[in-house]
Amino acid sequence: MFGINGGELLVILVVAVIVIGPTRLPKYAEQLARLTKQARHFLADARERVDSELGDEVKDIDWAALDPRRYDPRRIVRDALLDPEPAPAGARTAAAAAGAGAAAHAARAAPSTTPLPPGEPAPFDDEAT
C-alpha cells in the first residue's frame, strides 16, 4: 500500500494518535472510512459508465498487448521483415515467377537513366515537393 511497510504504518498511526488525540480519533477514522467507501463507489460507477459508453466491441480488446512498456521496435521491424507477403489471387507458377525474378534482377542491374554531362544542373521537379 503506497510503498509503506508495517513498521512505517505503525509509526504513522502513533503520530496520528498523538497529534489528533484520542478523543477526536474515532470521528476522523469514521470520516476516513466514509471517504474510502465513496471513492470505491465513484470508481465502480465510473468503470460502469465507461463500459456502457464504449460498448461490447471494446470489451474484447487485449489491453495488455497495447501496453507501451511491451513495445519493442526491434521485434516489430523483425516481424515485418520476416513476414512473407500474401500471394495475390492470381498467383503465377514457380517457373513464371523465377523468369520474372531474373528479368527484374537484370532491370535493377542496368540503370534506366543516363548520367548527366559534367557541369549540367540536375533536373528540378517543382511538383515533387
Side-chain angles (χ1 to χ4, degrees):
M1 176 174 93
F2 304 114
I4 298 175
N5 62 23
E8 292 171 347
L9 184 62
L10 183 63
V11 169
I12 291 172
L13 290 175
V14 168
V15 169
V17 167
I18 292 171
V19 171
I20 295 174
T23 57
R24 293 185 293 175
L25 189 62
K27 183 175 84 172
Y28 285 121
E30 183 181 329
Q31 287 177 353
L32 180 63
R34 191 176 325 119
L35 179 66
T36 305
K37 287 179 185 177
Q38 287 176 350
R40 285 184 184 168
H41 179 68
F42 173 75
L43 288 175
D45 186 42
R47 192 172 294 135
E48 274 182 30
R49 288 178 30 204
V50 166
D51 286 343
S52 68
E53 291 288 330
L54 294 178
D56 291 335
E57 56 270 354
V58 177
K59 291 181 182 180
D60 297 336
I61 294 177
D62 182 19
W63 293 106
L66 300 174
D67 188 5
R69 292 173 290 195
R70 294 180 61 192
Y71 175 73
D72 183 16
R74 293 172 296 192
R75 179 185 52 82
I76 293 170
V77 169
R78 184 176 52 243
D79 291 346
L81 291 176
L82 295 178
D83 221 13
E85 292 185 19
R92 297 177 297 192
T93 63
H105 178 66
R108 273 184 270 143
S112 62
T113 60
T114 58
L116 293 174
E120 185 176 334
F124 179 74
D125 185 9
D126 60 345
E127 295 179 1
T129 54

